[in-house]
Amino acid sequence: IQGFNVAGKDFSYASDCASFFTPGIWMGLVTSLLMVLVLTYGLHMIMQLRTMDRFDDPKGPAISVPQTE
């Protein structure tokens, strides 16, 4: 129902009644932003992975890790 900008028989344009950002558009934008942030965080964590710089020498003695103290 449009109760403003009535001139004779003509109503104003429908765009005057509703905003461009409907609740569905807002939910889509917020959800997309959240997913982009999660993707960015995940890519950042993957890029921070480093390989080991020291490996066990197969010709030398085996590494011994005692289980009791």
Side-chain angles (χ1 to χ4, degrees), residues 45-61:
M45 288 292 127
I46 289 175
M47 288 175 19
Q48 296 299 318
L49 288 176
R50 301 285 180 245
T51 58
M52 294 188 311
D53 57 349
R54 290 181 279 172
F55 295 95
D56 188 22
D57 184 17
K59 296 181 181 176

Side-chain angles (χ1 to χ4, degrees), residues 1-18:
I1 296 175
Q2 185 177 20
F4 54 89
N5 288 339
V6 179
K9 294 181 179 181
D10 296 331
F11 290 102
S12 65
Y13 292 113
S15 63
D16 294 339
C17 297

Side-chain angles (χ1 to χ4, degrees), residues 18-30:
S19 63
F20 177 73
F21 291 109
T22 62
I25 292 174
W26 277 116
M27 286 188 285
L29 288 174
V30 169

Side-chain angles (χ1 to χ4, degrees), residues 62-69:
I63 296 177
S64 174
V65 180
Q67 296 295 324
T68 58
E69 295 183 37

